Amino acid sequence: MSRTVTGNLEDDCSKTAECSLDPTDKAGWEQLRTLGHKMVDQIFDHLQTRREQPVWQRIPTEKRTALEAEPLPRKGQGVESAYETFLRDVLPYGIGNTHPRFWGWVMGSGTPEGVLAEMLAAGMNPNVGGFDDSATLVEEQVIHWMAQLMGMPDGTSGLLTSGGTMANLIGLAVGRRARAGFDVRAEGMRGGPEMRVYCSTEVHSWLKKTVELMGMGRNSLHVVGVDAGYRMKVDELQKAIAVDRATGLRPICVVATAGTVNTGATDDLPAIADLCAKEEMWFHVDGAFGALASWSNRLRDGVKGLDRADSLAFDLHKWGYMPYDIGCVLVRDAETHKAAFATGASYLTAMERGPAAGGLRFADRGVELSRGFRALKAWMSLKALGADAITAVIEQNVDQAQYLASLINQSDELELAAEVPLNIVCFRFAKASDEGNQEILMRLQESGIAVPSGTVLQGRFAIRVAISNHRSRKADFDLLVENVIRIGHEVMKERSSASTR
Ligand SMILES: Cc1ncc(COP(=O)(O)O)c(C=O)c1O
């Protein structure tokens, strides 16, 4: 008996001594194939008509409960039924980052090619620990292309990761082992002088988590101030290093940022690279989204010095527009990279021939052993679209940020809250308080019109638009400004009538 798409697997298993999770006959495969085609049609319909749907909508209470409280399905209901629930209760209530007017936090919008690549990767299902197989070569190729696009030398090592946080963590772990001055892998933090890592006040929160996780503690961070453009003060950094050294601490690494999360500012990377070289410290650059500016001849100067990093972390799921999740860490010196993670476990020993020939190279470059084939979506996207097309959209996003800034500057009612060096625009409805601006943001999000996010700059709340979206058009920013002003007036009116009551 064949396993039907709507049927129950138990029938098969109860009738034979052995069973698998595959359909048992041709008809079962045919049904899966038909459903698969329907899924492809429907997900592309969803993307093609995304502009007509709300950017975001709150999950209705009954659906929320259904998603949270469903008992464990002991018996299968069939994939058709599960798919119907997905279409009804899951797909319409995503965060919204596939929509042309989603500009919250820093999220990429994904590509249709990426959707297909994800399906193929799951179908092939390799464990990309770094065996002697095609998936390993595909990932190596992507790493090589990334090094080339970032201006890093041939022979640069790297790893694709779940995102910027993991890529940064790996970079810092490599840097700590290389600059600790003792065998930190063997002795932990007790093996030598207390270490210090330097960053600016604008550094992303991954760093706090990472130093905590690495056993260094938050106090191992020396946080340096920023100038009016939110760039690390290099003179202050230099003094901090000297003072720490004089008190017996060991400065090991500067974490500079190319494209800060708040405003898109880039630290003075050449000056920090020089300082790290002089001080024999590790130079790590967090370029989660900003590093992608170096793909463009026009924008590269804005992130100058990035190619001097000892380690560089960035995401492809942000400004590379590839579907979640995919980040990347590049490490200039391949041996130093491996020395931070290789373990030499007996069951992972390199063989002379066979799939384990040469050892598990990716397992030796990071924390994870078993890894998915996330390289495929990058490899296919680059082959299908070409790096130039992706770069053109990156440049378009920067132009759109300038366009939005010009709309804000032309308006009497809005004000910019920071410079716009890259693809992030922070602004306020000038007459409204912080609470008023927060209310404007929440109404905008809840209306389904647009999803920016918020931040606090110099103690004041700002609406923040981060444009890493290949679907946005200039008219979307006109609509945003119109609606912020309309909602701003609404909020002000309500507040003034409430206060006179
Ligand atoms: C500058 C910066 N660094 C690191 C991260 C963390 O990256 P991920 O969310 O991919 O872990 C982000 C996320 O927005 C970021 O903007």
Side-chain angles (χ1 to χ4, degrees):
M1 177 181 166
S2 88
R3 165 194 167 196
T4 62
V5 177
T6 49
N8 195 327
L9 193 65
E10 195 193 31
D11 295 346
D12 302 328
C13 289
S14 63
K15 289 191 174 123
T16 55
E18 294 178 312
C19 60
S20 90
L21 299 175
D22 282 336
T24 50
D25 62 13
K26 210 170 155 208
W29 281 108
E30 224 23 74
Q31 279 168 310
L32 265 186
R33 195 186 314 271
T34 304
L35 182 64
H37 290 160
K38 187 166 143 192
M39 286 175 172
V40 169
D41 285 342
Q42 289 184 316
I43 203 68
F44 284 153
D45 283 349
H46 169 76
L47 289 177
Q48 200 181 345
T49 59
R50 195 61 187 89
R51 180 175 281 284
E52 289 129 52
Q53 303 152 24
V55 183
W56 177 84
Q57 52 186 331
R58 197 173 174 279
I59 309 171
T61 306
E62 66 291 355
K63 296 197 181 211
R64 186 179 292 268
T65 310
L67 286 175
E68 282 174 346
E70 185 183 355
L72 169 70
R74 289 274 174 202
K75 305 268 182 261
Q77 55 189 244
V79 64
E80 255 167 7
S81 162
Y83 178 53
E84 274 161 28
T85 311
F86 166 81
L87 284 180
R88 194 188 60 230
D89 295 347
V90 180
L91 185 62
Y93 305 104
I95 180 67
N97 52 317
T98 50
H99 194 285
R101 286 190 299 279
F102 186 98
W103 306 300
W105 303 275
V106 194
M107 292 196 204
S109 37
T111 56
E113 288 78 6
V115 174
L116 298 176
E118 285 288 71
M119 187 188 71
L120 299 179
M124 187 173 164
N125 194 31
N127 178 343
V128 195
F131 292 94
D132 188 9
D133 68 342
S134 57
T136 298
L137 298 184
V138 168
E139 180 155 345
E140 287 287 32
Q141 178 69 90
V142 171
I143 291 164
H144 180 70
W145 287 339
M146 290 302 122
Q148 194 180 331
L149 284 164
M150 296 298 175
M152 303 275 282
D154 269 358
T156 294
S157 175
L159 192 70
L160 298 180
T161 64
S162 55
T165 297
M166 188 51 83
N168 277 302
L169 180 150
I170 291 170
L172 187 60
V174 177
R176 178 178 68 166
R177 196 217 60 92
R179 296 288 186 263
F182 60 92
D183 187 354
V184 70
R185 288 190 67 186
E187 299 182 52
M189 297 304 290
R190 289 185 302 270
E194 232 184 275
M195 300 182 219
R196 283 289 177 275
V197 172
Y198 300 79
C199 62
S200 88
T201 51
E202 292 300 295
V203 81
H204 188 273
S205 58
W206 70 265
L207 183 56
K208 254 187 209 162
K209 277 196 210 170
T210 296
V211 289
E212 287 172 12
L213 204 62
M214 284 168 59
M216 300 170 74
R218 262 202 319 276
N219 294 344
S220 68
L221 286 184
H222 197 134
V223 183
V224 174
V226 290
D227 63 18
Y230 295 97
R231 290 174 294 260
M232 192 190 297
K233 286 183 175 162
V234 181
D235 52 346
E236 197 178 302
L237 169 67
Q238 196 164 0
K239 278 182 207 141
I241 293 169
V243 169
D244 286 349
R245 249 194 231 294
T247 53
L249 300 169
R250 184 172 176 91
I252 57 161
C253 175
V254 180
V255 174
T257 306
T260 59
V261 62
N262 268 336
T263 66
T266 293
D267 291 328
D268 185 345
L269 304 178
I272 297 171
D274 288 345
L275 186 60
C276 284
K278 187 173 125 234
E279 297 284 347
E280 296 184 346
M281 290 170 68
W282 191 260
F283 177 38
H284 176 79
V285 178
D286 173 12
F289 61 95
L292 280 278
S294 75
W295 294 20
S296 153
N297 292 335
R298 213 184 85 197
L299 304 174
R300 187 171 305 121
D301 211 37
V303 291
K304 194 171 56 207
L306 180 114
D307 52 347
R308 294 180 58 191
D310 290 310
S311 53
L312 168 65
F314 55 94
D315 275 314
L316 290 171
H317 60 211
K318 290 187 168 70
W319 222 2
Y321 312 107
M322 292 174 199
Y324 283 88
D325 49 20
I326 181 164
C328 181
V329 60
L330 296 176
V331 180
R332 177 177 300 274
D333 186 82
E335 282 311 307
T336 308
H337 189 178
K338 189 172 171 185
F341 293 104
T343 58
S346 57
Y347 42 86
L348 303 176
T349 303
M351 294 285 140
E352 269 180 33
R353 298 190 316 279
L360 271 67
R361 59 179 101 175
F362 296 138
D364 285 351
R365 295 183 201 169
V367 183
E368 293 169 320
L369 171 58
S370 297
R371 306 167 64 249
F373 195 10
R374 53 171 71 97
L376 190 67
K377 62 193 164 202
W379 185 80
M380 280 194 72
S381 298
L382 284 160
K383 283 170 75 73
L385 302 169
D388 290 351
I390 299 173
T391 306
V393 191
I394 290 172
E395 290 174 354
Q396 176 174 289
N397 284 163
V398 170
D399 294 342
Q400 287 165 338
Q402 288 304 324
Y403 178 68
L404 174 58
S406 74
L407 294 179
I408 292 163
N409 281 332
Q410 283 158 30
S411 159
D412 295 335
E413 300 176 276
L414 304 178
E415 63 185 15
L416 278 177
E419 290 170 15
V420 181
L422 215 54
N423 59 336
I424 297 189
V425 184
C426 294
F427 69 103
R428 282 187 273 268
F429 188 82
K431 287 205 193 100
S433 62
D434 281 2
E435 292 71 32
N437 274 289
Q438 280 181 36
E439 184 61 32
I440 294 169
L441 174 62
M442 289 185 288
R443 286 191 195 184
L444 194 64
Q445 294 172 336
E446 286 174 334
S447 68
I449 294 171
V451 174
S453 57
T455 193
V456 174
L457 296 172
Q458 293 177 344
R460 293 194 57 198
F461 183 80
I463 299 170
R464 179 179 159 285
V465 173
I467 314 168
S468 41
N469 189 328
H470 64 88
R471 300 194 174 100
S472 303
R473 297 288 172 262
K474 268 187 177 173
D476 291 311
F477 300 97
D478 295 331
L479 198 78
L480 169 72
V481 164
E482 247 168 60
N483 279 282
V484 168
I485 294 174
R486 178 184 60 76
I487 298 171
H489 283 294
E490 234 170 65
V491 169
M492 296 298 288
K493 201 165 149 204
E494 282 169 24
R495 294 198 166 195
S496 77
S497 60
S499 69
T500 52
R501 238 180 268 140

